[in-house]
Amino acid sequence: MPGVGLGPPAAVNGFNPLLVSSAFDMQAAGLLYQPLVWVTRRFHIDTRLSIARRIITGPHHRTYTLILGRHWRWSDGTAVTTADVAYTYHMIQRLGPQFANYGVGGIPTDVSSFHILGPYRLRITLKKPVNPRWFIQNGLSLLTPLPSAAWGRFSVTSLYAHLADPRFFQVVDGPFRLVAFAFGRYVAFGPNRHFTGPDKPYLHRLVLRFLHDPESIFFGLKTGRIQIADLPHELFPGRGKLHGFRERVVGPPWGFSYLGFDYANPRIAFVRDARVRRAMMHAIRQSLLIRVQYYGQGIRDYGPIPPRPAVYLSPLARRLERVGAYDPGLSRKLLREAGWRLGHGKVREKKGRRLAFTALVPPGEVRGPVLIKEMLAEVGIDMRLREKPFNEIVAMTQGPDATKWDALTLAWGLGPYPSARNIFGCGGANNFYHYCDKHMDALLTAVPSASGKGAIYRYEDYFIKQQPVVVLPGERHVIEARDNIHGLQRAYSSLGGFNPQYLWIVRGGQ
């Protein structure tokens, strides 16, 4: 199933890393194309698994010279070269904000020149000095080489037309190849027999089935139709009925879950007041959410940086994770200060407007939002729920044709170096919330060029106090896998990656 160890399952809709945005699509595309830089779960670069064998940083942290490994080959036998890296870079330039991660890690917005020095050597010069770790992990990681010889003749329109066409994705350099795709049903992969990297896949066939409701997932596990899946939290009481499985707890993924708002929507202009957003944070009892929604498999979280691994967690974030922020008395005080008084039906009012909004929620994910609705009602906020398929939520809230909406519950994945300028910066490529705070902008701008963790801490602490989105607990995932499947520990990383080339099956026993 797509998204195992990452989040509630959803369908895969495309395989081109330049054109997809959902974590499920990126996870599937990652099986086909080897990254330029492979970031480990401990935030280091593994040069064995990276197309870039070496990265030389200039003395002033403005120039980065990349030397590619000469052994990497496409499945048609041709070499992976700097022309393939250049193809990706120039396509990102052409796509502009259509590229979901446009501007992340400074690609291409902070680049002053991109020069090919030979088939295995290129140099990128930036407009100003930056933190090398930020640029390498967040910027260079976007430049996954793509087959320029096979794709170079296609226009952007043609690339979109072939987004989910298995015949288009025949030239790959990753451990797997695309075998079949049935829209809305499944995607099948086979091993790339011409893979030139280490750890060639053991699996003969890998099928990701698109099952959306908890009952189908549980039934699929019980009947053997699926062999690996996240066990839906609401079905934890019945997991004793699954025989011949082993459990592995992973996560939370490297990102954060949240309740987000459309700041451009005049119907909910009240969310522009930070006191209202902070009141929501203090009204939500995260420990109860973790216990009821996730059956204890979760971690308190109030900021834009995940609490696990705790590499970039500020002292304030650490304290809140330990003691929580639940304080309904403070919540009511903040709302009174903001001018909201209790009105009819115990809903707060101000100048004839009710403190009410509608949140879009994916199907099967209402258990937590129902609890949040009850908690917010206790302090006089009316949160209504509207279930919508995940794809419809994306279409309604993201992109130039998005209509006005109130709120949504969602999760967001981060780059290895946890800066989120593209999400919370004014005019950021992924700022579908139309949020803009000049001080937040300044703090986000400082992160890429600063050494040490001080700039990250300042951004993190200001975010916690402002709550541009109301952050919700981090969700751990319990993976159920048949007991003859091995390699799970290496197959799932703390960054939310899925690497099934490390899985193997023992026939006839454990």
Side-chain angles (χ1 to χ4, degrees):
M1 290 173 50
V4 175
L6 184 63
V12 172
N13 296 302
F15 305 94
N16 190 327
L18 295 169
L19 305 179
V20 298
S21 58
S22 88
F24 308 99
D25 293 345
M26 291 300 295
Q27 200 177 70
L31 305 182
L32 305 176
Y33 302 104
Q34 198 71 8
L36 183 66
V37 291
W38 181 291
V39 184
T40 72
R41 67 184 69 198
R42 298 186 182 277
F43 304 100
H44 300 300
I45 305 299
D46 189 333
T47 54
R48 290 187 327 115
L49 299 171
S50 303
I51 299 290
R53 176 173 59 87
R54 188 179 176 198
I55 301 172
I56 303 170
T57 303
H60 301 293
H61 297 169
R62 283 190 60 218
T63 62
Y64 295 81
T65 303
L66 281 69
I67 302 171
L68 308 190
R70 294 173 179 259
H71 65 284
W72 293 100
R73 292 287 185 273
W74 294 108
S75 52
D76 63 2
T78 59
V80 178
T81 69
T82 51
D84 303 311
V85 182
Y87 170 81
T88 300
Y89 174 76
H90 293 307
M91 280 301 301
I92 292 173
Q93 284 185 311
R94 288 176 61 188
L95 288 166
Q98 287 179 272
F99 177 62
N101 289 308
Y102 188 80
V104 172
I107 299 293
T109 50
D110 294 353
V111 176
S112 64
S113 66
F114 184 103
H115 288 143
I116 293 180
L117 307 177
Y120 300 102
R121 192 181 184 95
L122 66 86
R123 179 169 296 141
I124 298 175
T125 303
L126 303 180
K127 297 174 182 176
K128 59 183 179 181
V130 299
N131 183 328
R133 190 169 187 172
W134 170 81
F135 179 65
I136 292 170
Q137 294 190 358
N138 285 13
L140 294 183
S141 64
L142 297 180
L143 299 182
T144 298
L146 296 171
S148 58
W151 292 13
R153 67 183 186 277
F154 290 95
S155 65
V156 172
T157 302
S158 295
L159 292 178
Y160 273 110
H162 293 286
L163 185 60
D165 181 1
R167 295 168 298 179
F168 183 82
F169 299 95
Q170 293 304 302
V171 180
V172 298
D173 65 345
F176 289 91
R177 60 186 178 86
L178 184 57
V179 174
F181 176 68
F183 188 80
R185 294 173 54 204
Y186 69 88
V187 57
F189 299 90
N192 173 10
R193 301 298 184 189
H194 303 284
F195 181 58
T196 53
D199 302 310
K200 293 175 174 56
Y202 300 101
L203 300 179
H204 174 69
R205 186 175 177 85
L206 172 69
V207 179
L208 304 181
R209 298 194 181 277
F210 309 155
L211 304 178
H212 302 287
D213 61 273
E215 291 75 17
S216 296
I217 296 169
F218 192 84
F219 184 74
L221 287 168
K222 190 173 181 180
T223 60
R225 188 186 180 204
I226 52 178
Q227 288 77 49
I228 299 180
D230 281 2
L231 182 66
H233 291 105
E234 56 267 44
L235 297 181
F236 268 26
R239 68 185 187 273
K241 297 179 180 179
L242 297 175
H243 303 292
F245 284 86
R246 68 179 72 183
E247 289 185 353
R248 178 169 181 79
V249 180
V250 299
W254 189 244
F256 54 94
S257 300
Y258 59 89
L259 173 66
F261 310 97
D262 181 3
Y263 285 82
N265 188 342
R267 290 195 309 267
I268 58 164
F270 54 80
V271 298
R272 299 169 194 164
D273 189 332
R275 291 171 294 186
V276 173
R277 304 192 301 269
R278 287 170 52 209
M280 293 186 195
M281 176 184 77
H282 291 298
I284 296 173
R285 188 179 178 185
Q286 288 203 11
S287 59
L288 180 61
L289 271 178
I290 292 168
R291 186 166 70 249
V292 176
Q293 182 182 7
Y294 299 146
Y295 286 79
Q297 300 299 332
I299 296 177
R300 279 189 291 236
D301 191 6
Y302 298 94
I305 296 175
R308 297 289 185 277
V311 178
Y312 298 105
L313 219 56
S314 72
L316 171 61
R318 289 173 188 267
R319 182 177 65 81
L320 286 176
E321 186 215 333
R322 188 174 65 254
V323 304
Y326 177 62
D327 188 342
L330 176 57
S331 178
R332 296 184 184 97
K333 179 175 181 289
L334 288 166
L335 292 173
R336 287 194 300 270
E337 289 176 357
W340 293 94
R341 307 296 176 186
L342 283 177
H344 299 292
K346 296 184 179 180
V347 177
R348 293 182 182 270
E349 297 179 355
K350 179 180 178 181
K351 298 180 180 178
R353 303 289 298 270
R354 298 174 78 248
L355 191 53
F357 63 92
T358 300
L360 303 173
V361 182
E365 295 299 310
V366 298
R367 188 181 182 91
V370 166
L371 277 174
I372 295 172
K373 171 184 171 67
E374 294 173 356
M375 294 172 188
L376 295 182
E378 288 293 318
V379 299
I381 301 174
D382 181 16
M383 171 179 161
R384 298 179 291 271
L385 305 178
R386 185 181 178 190
E387 285 190 78
K388 281 279 186 182
F390 177 75
N391 288 351
E392 287 189 30
I393 292 176
V394 172
M396 287 178 63
T397 60
Q398 300 181 14
D401 299 324
T403 56
K404 292 287 190 295
W405 50 280
D406 290 0
L408 53 72
T409 57
L410 201 63
W412 196 270
L414 293 170
Y417 198 88
S419 169
R421 186 169 56 175
N422 62 318
I423 313 171
F424 300 113
C426 298
N430 292 312
N431 189 348
F432 307 115
Y433 316 98
H434 309 104
Y435 172 80
C436 185
D437 180 310
K438 296 299 183 183
H439 186 60
M440 179 77 79
D441 244 20
L443 293 173
L444 285 166
T445 301
V447 169
S449 57
S451 59
K453 299 177 182 178
I456 286 184
Y457 287 174
R458 287 187 288 273
Y459 149 62
E460 186 178 4
D461 290 351
Y462 185 71
F463 183 107
I464 290 171
K465 295 169 184 175
Q466 290 291 310
Q467 293 290 294
V469 297
V470 179
V471 179
L472 302 175
E475 177 184 2
R476 291 183 182 273
H477 298 273
V478 176
I479 299 172
E480 296 283 347
R482 285 285 176 185
D483 54 16
N484 65 338
I485 298 176
H486 298 264
L488 285 171
Q489 181 174 358
R490 197 174 179 195
Y492 297 98
S493 81
S494 56
L495 301 184
F498 176 44
N499 306 301
Q501 64 267 34
Y502 301 129
L503 297 176
W504 75 93
I505 298 174
V506 177
R507 299 295 183 186
Q510 296 186 16

